[in-house]
Amino acid sequence: MILSCVLLVIYKLTMDILGWIFLPWRRSISNIKDSPPPPPLASTFDDVIVDYEDPDYLPLPEYPVRPNEPLETRKQRLLYQSRKRGMLENDLLLSTFAAKHLQNFSAEQTAQYDQLINGVSNDWDIYYWATDVKPTPKEYDTEIMRLLKKHVKNAEGVTRLRQPDLNT
């Protein structure tokens, strides 16, 4: 008798927990009347890129200008910032780009690269411009952006699965 009561309690608790886990899924299914539910891990090949413009009323912080920063210090800072973007796509693209080109940039080219990666408030914009998904605005359509677009096209067929080592 006691064993059956314990099993009944365990069964009810299990069903309650499963109900809590699947509650959001059941809610979304109940909103769809005529069509069958999509599989939980649907393919993203046919997905449409939805990109909203930033509202005008949001104050964006200005990136601090560093007029007296030595060129080598600036290049080291940009190398680090190219690796730590907050999204893996740009981490890979910009870190490999910086490892390949940043050493040879002049002061003017370095300033353009600094403005590109730090002047834009949304990293997705850099990604979309570099991959030619969206047109590059005139103020960012520089020699450096054209070089980045060429790097992204990867005519050499270089495998870029991880960021380059810092010591090379």
Side-chain angles (χ1 to χ4, degrees):
M1 180 72 176
I2 295 175
L3 181 61
S4 63
C5 288
V6 169
L7 289 175
L8 183 63
V9 169
I10 291 173
Y11 174 76
K12 286 186 176 191
L13 284 174
T14 304
M15 296 311 289
D16 285 345
I17 291 171
L18 289 174
W20 296 331
I21 291 172
F22 293 110
L23 182 63
W25 184 72
R26 283 191 305 198
R27 284 184 187 154
S28 67
I29 295 301
S30 66
N31 293 335
I32 303 171
K33 301 290 185 209
D34 299 329
S35 62
L41 299 174
S43 171
T44 59
F45 291 118
D46 296 328
D47 287 350
V48 176
I49 295 174
V50 177
D51 187 34
Y52 298 103
E53 293 298 322
D54 292 333
D56 294 333
Y57 59 85
L58 289 178
L60 297 175
E62 287 194 30
Y63 186 71
V65 179
R66 298 177 167 107
N68 298 327
E69 184 177 33
L71 184 59
E72 280 308 307
T73 305
R74 184 179 224 181
K75 287 182 178 184
Q76 290 171 357
R77 176 178 53 80
L78 291 173
L79 181 64
Y80 176 81
Q81 289 175 337
S82 298
R83 300 173 64 86
K84 306 292 182 185
R85 300 306 303 169
M87 56 181 279
L88 180 61
E89 295 85 350
N90 277 359
D91 289 347
L92 291 172
L93 292 178
L94 295 176
S95 67
T96 54
F97 176 78
K100 184 176 181 180
H101 296 288
L102 190 59
Q103 288 179 332
N104 302 322
F105 281 174
S106 66
E108 181 183 342
Q109 291 171 320
T110 305
Q112 286 178 0
Y113 185 63
D114 193 358
Q115 177 61 30
L116 172 66
I117 69 170
N118 293 310
V120 178
S121 65
N122 186 349
D123 263 13
W124 280 109
D125 288 338
I126 297 171
Y127 179 78
Y128 290 147
W129 300 336
T131 56
D132 280 330
V133 171
K134 291 172 64 176
T136 307
K138 190 174 183 176
E139 64 267 21
Y140 294 107
D141 194 13
T142 62
E143 171 191 5
I144 300 301
M145 178 52 85
R146 289 187 288 279
L147 196 59
L148 177 61
K149 287 181 179 188
K150 183 178 176 187
H151 177 77
V152 168
K153 288 182 181 162
N154 196 14
E156 305 89 25
V158 177
T159 303
R160 299 177 183 143
L161 299 177
R162 64 185 204 93
Q163 295 183 5
D165 293 332
L166 284 172
N167 300 333
T168 58

